[in-house]
Amino acid sequence: MTLTTVAYHAGWLVDGTGNAAEENRVIVVCDGRVRHVLDVDDPKLQGTTIVDLSDCTVFPALIDSHVHLVMSGTTEASCRKNQLNSGYEKRKSIIAEHLERHFDCGVLAVRDGGDHNGDTLRYKTETAEVPGAKVTIASAGRARHAPGRYGKLIGIPVEEGRTIAQNAFGSNTRRDHLKLVNSGLNSLTQFGVETPPQFDETELMAAISAAKKHGQPTMVHANGRLPVKLAVNAGCDSIEHGFFMGEENMRRMADKGVTWVPTAVTMKAYINYLKRQGHRSDPSFGEISRKNLEHQLAQINAARELGVALALGTDAGSPGVHHGTSVKEELQLYITAGFSVEGAIRCASRNGALLMRLSDRGKIAPGMRADFMAVRVPVEQVPDALNQIVCRVVQGRNIKTNVND
Ligand SMILES: [Zn+2]
């Protein structure tokens, strides 16, 4: 069998490593993988079909490292409630719809942070064998939280008298990663309030090492200095949110190679949501959300300077945080915080792939899976153009090419 080779001439190539974009590079694709990345005048290209994307920026398929697929970003309370109380068949169609929204924005992998019914894991299990599944899902199933503490929407409590490890690795241990909740939510009425940890370091450590034995990484929801410190010391793979975690924790994370998923867009969504609520809410809520966002952007820049690995995650499914389009907003926030476009894209591609253990994903380089997107704008406008993708290559297949539009 002869394999078809197709080449794509990128006007600008952002390869996912964080390196500066390169002009006029040609990506040669064969058998679903990138075979070479060459200069446009390389003699190896003779006789190869070349798709002209010379007026486009090409970047790797994106990864949203923190979503809740069964929940929508709607801010209608009744609608949110209905979604959670409707039957699985309805919720299954909601998940499928959200995956389409991710695909529209160039996202080909999502890491789910859990839901109360374990719907996303069930969906993944049921659809795993369906050919043509475009978006890869890694699912936590149900998160684990302490009794009486925050976490019901995304998981279940660990019963009194049992350890997390006994609860999570008793009978059903099937999941892609373990999700633990180790703090509360951010206060929207008082700036910078830190909630106590839900678990102690010994208990976290036992849970994380049980997860490791099952080949599962651990993601920990933690805001505030102490909850983050305990999770990092206990050996978690990633800190989710990390609002008000402070610089000492960032140094610890850089040292130990713990990834941070800051979900800054959740605070931007609250500002917009509360604005729309007008007189119905306390006007100080919007002010606190704005201060939380500013504080988080300063932390993002500090983490970048300290060499912490950041993976872009949105918490899509939270109020006002929509699947797919919020990736665009989070990328824009990284850039506002101090990242280059290339650096922000690395967080939304290669760093996410490493966190999800998708070793052949997240960058455009020889041997990697050929997953990339093109937008007809220069590099600096890529985040703004995420919903105007003109060419999508998924596992080497050109799904849509409107290069002559
Ligand atoms: Zn979440």
Side-chain angles (χ1 to χ4, degrees), residues 39-243:
D39 279 331
V40 73
D41 50 8
D42 195 295
K44 283 199 198 82
L45 290 169
Q46 271 178 12
T48 309
T49 311
I50 297 185
V51 178
D52 182 12
L53 299 170
S54 59
D55 57 352
C56 293
T57 301
V58 175
F59 57 95
L62 302 179
I63 293 172
D64 188 336
S65 291
H66 191 127
V67 302
H68 298 277
L69 275 180
V70 78
M71 290 180 250
S72 296
T74 176
T75 48
E76 277 302 320
S78 60
C79 191
R80 295 186 71 78
K81 208 171 157 199
N82 281 343
Q83 280 185 352
L84 292 169
N85 296 333
S86 58
Y88 175 70
E89 285 308 310
K90 170 74 181 154
R91 300 201 297 266
K92 184 177 159 184
S93 67
I94 291 172
I95 292 173
E97 164 67 19
H98 291 158
L99 290 168
E100 285 299 322
R101 298 288 78 77
H102 282 286
F103 186 76
D104 288 345
C105 289
V107 175
L108 289 190
V110 294
R111 181 168 163 263
D112 195 275
D115 59 83
H116 181 72
N117 296 305
D119 291 324
T120 299
L121 185 58
R122 179 172 170 188
Y123 178 92
K124 180 190 164 160
T125 312
E126 288 180 2
T127 58
E129 302 306 319
V130 177
K134 295 174 291 196
V135 181
T136 303
I137 304 168
S139 169
R142 296 171 163 105
R144 295 302 194 275
H145 65 90
R149 294 289 307 271
Y150 164 74
K152 186 173 180 236
L153 260 181
I154 58 172
I156 52 172
V158 175
E159 310 91 316
E160 303 276 4
R162 294 191 84 198
T163 65
I164 308 170
Q166 286 165 339
N167 176 289
F169 296 98
S171 52
N172 187 2
T173 60
R174 197 192 57 202
R175 64 174 83 78
D176 296 300
H177 49 260
L178 179 65
K179 167 77 180 287
L180 303 177
V181 185
N182 198 37
S183 75
L185 291 170
N186 277 322
S187 170
L188 296 180
T189 53
Q190 272 180 291
F191 177 69
V193 176
E194 296 177 37
T195 56
Q198 296 200 12
F199 301 103
D200 65 31
E201 197 175 306
T202 315
E203 164 120 45
L204 289 168
M205 205 180 274
I208 292 166
S209 74
K212 274 202 183 101
K213 279 191 199 122
H214 285 85
Q216 295 169 11
T218 305
M219 68 193 279
V220 182
H221 163 120
N223 294 312
R225 283 162 293 183
L226 188 57
V228 171
K229 181 182 169 182
L230 300 185
V232 172
N233 284 350
C236 71
D237 293 85
S238 70
I239 291 293
E240 311 295 311
H241 320 300
F243 286 86

Side-chain angles (χ1 to χ4, degrees), residues 274-312:
L274 295 165
K275 234 186 250 162
R276 280 198 302 278
Q277 294 288 299
H279 66 279
R280 279 190 286 155
S281 66
D282 181 338
S284 70
F285 286 12
E287 181 60 16
I288 300 298
S289 306
R290 193 185 55 72
K291 284 170 86 174
N292 287 347
L293 175 61
E294 277 171 14
H295 189 270
Q296 189 73 330
L297 294 187
Q299 287 205 132
I300 288 174
N301 199 41
R304 181 186 65 81
E305 286 172 350
L306 290 167
V308 179
L310 276 80
L312 184 140

Side-chain angles (χ1 to χ4, degrees), residues 284-347:
S284 70
F285 286 12
E287 181 60 16
I288 300 298
S289 306
R290 193 185 55 72
K291 284 170 86 174
N292 287 347
L293 175 61
E294 277 171 14
H295 189 270
Q296 189 73 330
L297 294 187
Q299 287 205 132
I300 288 174
N301 199 41
R304 181 186 65 81
E305 286 172 350
L306 290 167
V308 179
L310 276 80
L312 184 140
T314 60
D315 215 4
S318 295
V321 185
H322 300 281
H323 289 274
T325 51
S326 60
V327 172
K328 168 178 164 166
E329 292 177 89
E330 186 77 0
L331 274 173
Q332 288 164 332
L333 289 173
Y334 274 46
I335 291 159
T336 306
F339 269 92
S340 62
V341 170
E342 293 92 331
I345 288 176
R346 175 189 171 171
C347 299

